[in-house]
Amino acid sequence: MEPLLTQDVRKPNGYTLDFYVEHDGYAGLRRALGMAPDQIIEMVKASGLRGRGGAGFPTGTKWQFVDKKSPNPRYIACNADESEPGTFKDHVLMERNPHLLIEGCAIACYAIGAKVAYIYIRGEFLHVQQVLEAQIAEAYKAGYLGKNILGSGFDCDVWIHRGAGAYEAGEETALLESLEGKRAQPRNKPPFPAVVGLYNCPTAVNNVETLCNVPLIVKNGAEWFAALGPEKNGGPKLYCISGQVKRPGVYEASMHVTLRELIEGERYAGGAREGRTLKAIIPGGSSVPVLLPEQLDVPASFDAVQKAGSLLGSAGIIVCDDTTCMVWLAENLLHFYRHESCGKCTPCREGTDWLHKILHRIERGEGQMRDLDLLASISAQIGGKTLCAFGDAAITPVQTTLKHFRHEYEAHIREGRCTLVADWRARQPIGAH
Amino acid sequence: MSFHPKMAYDATFHKSSRTLADPGPPFTFTPERRARLDEVLTRYPPDRKRSAVLPALYLAQQQHGYITGNAMRHIAEILEITPADVEDVVSYYTMFYTKPVGRFVLNVCRTLSCALNGAERVTEELCAKLHIKPGETDTSGTFTLVEVECLGACDRAPVVMVNDAWHECVSPESVGHMLDSLRTRGESALTGCHLAVEKR
Ligand SMILES: Cc1cc2nc3c(=O)[nH]c(=O)nc-3n(C[C@H](O)[C@H](O)[C@H](O)COP(=O)(O)O)c2cc1C
Ligand code: FES
């Protein structure tokens, strides 16, 4: 499949309005404004577009749930928080193809009857934000945003809202809290944002890549889009490949592509580095179960990866080679989750800290065999007992490394040391702080 | 609550471990920043001024280097919320500082993809070169070293965000040069990310 989202990202002026308009840009918006909003929602439903933020929920269905009877204004909240470890696709789209996102936001607003879209961008993306802001200003000047867009009578504003360093702000309800000027902590669901969202108004929260697919659908039709991938997994997909591979990067492909092709293919990441072999693969950002090298011959689609025992999540593929200690990996990720837990739900706030402490102890060679049961039992007491999916995400690295690599944990405990210290790791443990 | 004379409530029982925000010097926004904040406020519904608390805090941090108690109070007045509401937010987000930091804050990503590519060694090297531990500022007040979580640029690991600028594909061998050029060339030595994307 030829790239559709990223074909021009390496051209020096590929991000400008002139370039975008010359290449058929904003044709989707023009077409959309001639359609009824419900028609667009039906079209997106028929295309089978699924959310690219992590959950893979059908976008058309989400839009359909937006409460049309409410007397309140409606909102689009674009999730540009991109903080899932191993995920780095949205910033490429925003920085190198910003008008695609702007067009997507405008069409989404028109479809659900909103007049304002807020793009919630993570604080660490200042350089991306500056590009996006400048291009939004261009779009206003050219009449693609603002009042009476393209003479249709439709008004739409797009504003950027900068976050300030919080992984949890990517969770949709926490994102809304943060937009309201509060701590990014999740809300109880239901009610879902489609009914009670930003400022208690009906809101659709959509990932950047999701919204970038919308203009393609409106321009080329739902059937075309669906036919690009396997059934129910249509459209182009961006894969982020990082870790210990020859050519890490963002690769666009249809979801027919297999995980093995992505990781080992010559057109993609090129496989493990010289003299190394694959050991473990996390296919969808740090929150999804680990896969083993022999499990990679499946299409990298939402459904196929799930069937293989993991999740496509945000398509952040992290590759570890045979120099990686799996206890160290779990400790590294639990350090992340412990730090990022928003503190609202006790099992997650306390549990992630306990898990990290125990993992740290085992990794340093001070663990005991009974710690392994403790890890399993604490994990079980976090899973499913938190307001948002963070809790389930946080225990996944522990549970799946224990499942596939229990022998490594046992070796650490038996030998009283880390059994696989690679030269790329700290000489002195940097320690828990 | 009891006020039994034998209970030394004021001395022991009601001591909070919370450190109060440093009030700092009196604080008001410069006219330009105040105008900028007023412009930002137009993006949100008139009865939802609180939404502008993050932009307001960024402006305050830009003005004073870190966020003081007086700055929080000033922002609270403008946004018609309580100072506690503002402090609640400041204490949650990692990008706001409540203490002075160095001229350059070196945010080393320590999460998996960066760690797999040597981020721990980068931190070690920076600690050794600056004679500080993560979380500290060097004696000259030039550099603050912070370990942060995934910055969203994992293919260019390890990543060090210096103030707001990403430095990508950093190695233990290259940090010496990075520190030297920041010392000699100042802010102009900060590199951005998009150039690196373009080059590939
Ligand atoms: C802890 C947590 C963090 C999340 N972080 C992000 C994120 O950084 N970016 C994102 O797009 N979605 C993130 N999500 C998923 C969102 O909650 C939500 O599903 C998504 O924004 C919906 O958009 P989509 O339907 O277009 O995928 C996160 C979810 C959880 C539970
Ligand atoms: S792990 Fe360092 S940028 Fe993602």
Side-chain angles (χ1 to χ4, degrees):
Chain A
M1 192 195 81
E2 286 304 305
L4 295 159
L5 301 167
T6 57
Q7 72 277 32
D8 298 320
V9 296
R10 289 201 181 86
K11 303 209 172 100
N13 62 344
Y15 67 94
T16 59
L17 179 64
D18 287 347
F19 184 96
Y20 189 68
V21 172
E22 263 166 44
H23 293 77
D24 215 20
Y26 289 105
L29 177 61
R30 217 176 278 276
R31 177 137 192 244
L33 293 175
M35 295 165 66
D38 283 344
Q39 258 178 311
I40 299 173
I41 296 182
E42 282 308 321
M43 200 170 183
V44 173
K45 262 178 87 173
S47 75
L49 172 62
R50 293 169 71 168
R52 303 315 201 211
F57 189 80
T59 307
T61 312
K62 188 185 271 188
W63 289 359
Q64 203 163 37
F65 287 155
V66 172
D67 186 359
K68 299 270 155 54
K69 291 196 242 26
S70 159
N72 294 327
R74 293 181 274 275
Y75 293 103
I76 288 283
C78 170
N79 193 340
D81 193 56
E82 189 153 70
S83 326
E84 174 80 10
T87 313
F88 42 88
K89 59 191 175 62
D90 296 343
H91 88 83
V92 177
L93 289 173
M94 291 188 281
E95 192 173 0
R96 305 302 311 175
N97 204 354
H99 287 285
L100 188 61
L101 175 63
I102 298 169
E103 186 178 359
C105 286
I107 299 176
C109 281
Y110 181 72
I112 69 157
K115 286 194 164 49
V116 182
Y118 292 105
I119 300 178
Y120 187 97
I121 190 167
R122 66 178 296 187
E124 293 87 342
F125 281 180
L126 185 64
H127 54 284
V128 182
Q129 181 183 341
Q130 285 163 346
V131 174
L132 196 53
E133 258 166 5
Q135 295 310 313
I136 289 176
E138 293 290 311
Y140 268 101
K141 258 192 266 164
Y144 297 112
L145 289 177
K147 295 261 175 288
N148 190 18
I149 294 174
L150 302 173
S152 64
F154 168 62
D155 304 340
C156 179
D157 283 316
V158 174
W159 302 121
I160 297 182
H161 190 97
R162 184 182 182 198
Y167 168 62
E168 182 58 16
E171 200 280 336
E172 52 185 6
T173 57
L175 182 146
L176 299 176
E177 287 284 296
S178 184
L179 255 172
E180 292 183 5
K182 300 177 209 152
R183 296 180 151 227
Q185 293 184 321
R187 299 174 182 169
N188 206 0
K189 289 187 274 192
F192 288 93
V195 182
V196 182
L198 183 63
Y199 309 134
N200 296 330
C201 302
T203 306
V205 184
N206 288 116
N207 170 261
V208 169
E209 189 190 344
T210 311
L211 290 174
C212 284
N213 276 299
V214 171
L216 303 181
I217 297 171
V218 176
K219 215 158 48 182
N220 303 303
E223 295 73 33
W224 168 87
F225 188 86
L228 291 173
E231 201 189 340
K232 294 203 187 117
N233 291 271
K237 181 79 196 85
L238 298 187
Y239 295 95
C240 321
I241 311 179
S242 67
Q244 293 159 326
V245 285
K246 287 208 190 87
R247 283 189 304 278
V250 178
Y251 296 97
E252 183 173 348
S254 97
M255 286 189 257
H256 285 300
V257 73
T258 65
L259 285 173
R260 180 154 336 266
E261 281 173 76
L262 285 169
I263 293 165
E264 300 193 325
E266 274 317 304
R267 291 182 54 203
Y268 303 104
R273 296 191 182 133
E274 232 35 76
R276 303 260 67 104
T277 51
L278 298 183
K279 178 168 182 184
I281 292 90
I282 304 180
S286 65
S287 305
V288 308
V290 172
L291 290 178
L292 301 175
E294 57 268 25
Q295 292 176 294
L296 298 181
D297 295 302
V298 293
S301 70
F302 289 104
D303 295 330
V305 178
Q306 186 165 10
K307 237 169 108 190
S310 187
L311 293 163
L312 187 61
S314 59
I317 302 173
I318 308 174
V319 181
C320 304
D321 69 21
D322 54 347
T323 57
T324 306
C325 164
M326 288 294 130
V327 181
W328 170 86
L329 177 140
E331 186 203 339
N332 180 286
L333 288 180
L334 261 292
H335 185 292
F336 170 82
Y337 287 108
R338 180 197 67 151
H339 181 263
E340 298 298 332
S341 174
C342 79
K344 185 158 177 165
C345 309
T346 311
C348 169
R349 180 187 62 237
E350 303 300 318
T352 49
D353 191 38
W354 294 354
L355 288 175
H356 179 259
K357 277 201 184 107
I358 297 168
L359 288 165
H360 185 64
R361 171 159 99 210
I362 300 176
E363 171 58 22
R364 287 177 49 142
E366 291 158 10
Q368 297 175 320
M369 283 300 170
R370 63 163 193 253
D371 284 340
L372 301 186
D373 294 334
L374 205 50
L375 286 176
S377 105
I378 295 169
S379 301
Q381 291 179 58
I382 300 174
K385 296 183 176 65
T386 54
L387 280 179
C388 79
F390 185 109
D392 298 321
I395 61 175
T396 302
V398 182
Q399 288 183 327
T400 61
T401 52
L402 261 178
K403 178 170 151 211
H404 294 303
F405 299 97
R406 195 179 175 93
H407 54 278
E408 284 195 23
Y409 281 87
E410 288 169 357
H412 277 69
I413 295 166
R414 245 191 343 265
E415 300 190 22
R417 63 185 177 92
C418 177
T419 46
L420 187 55
V421 189
D423 59 359
W424 41 262
R425 282 178 40 193
R427 294 201 182 86
Q428 303 276 319
I430 293 180
H433 31 252
Chain B
M1 162 203 269
S2 151
F3 285 96
H4 195 280
K6 286 195 181 148
M7 297 285 214
Y9 286 110
D10 52 339
T12 54
F13 289 97
H14 288 287
K15 244 190 203 154
S16 163
S17 62
R18 191 178 75 112
T19 41
L20 290 177
D22 158 22
F27 185 95
T28 39
F29 279 123
T30 58
E32 300 78 46
R33 291 205 174 86
R34 181 58 204 260
R36 172 94 188 114
L37 180 57
D38 289 338
E39 189 268 309
V40 167
L41 275 167
T42 62
R43 303 172 181 183
Y44 307 100
D47 57 339
R48 298 288 181 172
K49 288 194 178 157
R50 184 175 181 164
S51 275
V53 66
L54 294 183
L57 286 166
Y58 273 119
L59 288 170
Q61 184 151 294
Q62 217 181 46
Q63 181 165 326
H64 191 70
Y66 65 103
I67 297 190
T68 59
N70 282 333
M72 294 184 214
R73 218 160 278 130
H74 183 57
I75 290 171
E77 270 165 33
I78 298 173
L79 302 184
E80 295 161 22
I81 51 181
T82 68
D85 291 333
V86 181
E87 195 181 346
D88 192 39
V89 168
V90 173
S91 61
Y92 182 82
Y93 295 93
T94 56
M95 291 179 70
F96 297 126
Y97 309 122
T98 48
K99 287 197 287 276
V101 289
R103 178 172 169 205
F104 297 109
V105 182
L106 308 168
N107 300 280
V108 187
C109 173
R110 58 149 305 282
T111 315
L112 188 56
S113 299
C114 283
L116 287 169
N117 286 292
E120 292 184 356
R121 297 281 313 283
V122 168
T123 305
E124 232 174 25
E125 200 60 34
L126 285 169
C127 288
K129 286 217 153 61
L130 299 170
H131 308 290
I132 52 177
K133 291 204 287 289
E136 295 176 353
T137 302
D138 73 345
T139 44
S140 69
T142 314
F143 296 106
T144 300
L145 180 61
V146 187
E147 279 191 291
V148 296
E149 303 293 351
C150 181
L151 291 165
C154 327
D155 54 338
R156 283 144 285 165
V159 187
V160 180
M161 187 174 80
V162 186
N163 296 348
D164 285 315
W166 288 357
H167 289 241
E168 299 159 334
C169 308
V170 177
S171 66
E173 294 75 33
S174 74
V175 297
H177 175 71
M178 183 175 88
L179 294 180
D180 287 344
S181 51
L182 287 170
R183 276 196 192 100
T184 51
R185 289 171 40 223
E187 274 74 6
S188 66
L190 297 175
T191 61
C193 133
H194 46 288
L195 295 172
V197 175
E198 239 164 47
K199 263 186 262 158
R200 266 181 306 134

